Amino acid sequence: MVRTLLFSIALVAITVSVLGVFNTLLTAVVERTNELAVMRAIGASRWQIVGLITTEALLLTGAGGIAGVLLALAAGHGIENLVKSFVPLAPDGTMMSPTAPILFQSVLAGVVVGVLAGLYPAWRAGRLQPAEALKAE
C-alpha cells in the first residue's frame, strides 16, 4: 500500500510538472510571436524554431531536475525523520539511499517528460507564418 501511495504521489507530481512546462512554453511562444516571426522572415527554418523551443524545454527541465535532486539531498533525511515520527512501526534505519545512477535517472526522466511536454509549443512556434504573426501584433 505504501508503494502504491508513493507511486500515486509521484504520478500527480509529474502531471503537475508536465502541465507547468507546457503552460510556460506555450506562454513563451505566444509572448514571443513577434520575435519568432522576425526570425522566420530573415531565414530561420521551421525546424530551427522547433529546435529553439525544444532546447528551452530541455534547459528548463534540466535545471528543475537538478534543483529537485539537490533539494532532496539537502532535506531528504530531515523529512524522512519527520514522517517516521508519525508512522507507527516505521523501520529504525534510514530508508533514503540515493546513488549516482538513481539521481541521474531521476534528472533524465524529468528532462524526457519535460521535452515531451514542450513538443506541442515547439510545433506551434514552427508553424508561425511571418506575415500573419507580424500583422496580428
Side-chain angles (χ1 to χ4, degrees), residues 50-114:
V50 169
L52 175 71
I53 302 299
T54 305
T55 302
E56 288 181 18
L58 177 79
L59 292 173
L60 179 69
T61 56
I66 291 170
V69 163
L70 292 176
L71 182 64
L73 290 174
H77 290 294
I79 293 171
E80 180 182 355
N81 291 334
L82 178 70
V83 170
K84 279 184 179 181
S85 67
F86 294 109
V87 176
L89 303 173
D92 291 331
T94 182
M95 293 172 38
M96 185 175 154
S97 57
T99 62
I102 290 173
L103 298 177
F104 177 74
Q105 289 171 359
S106 299
V107 173
L108 183 65
V111 168
V112 168
V113 168

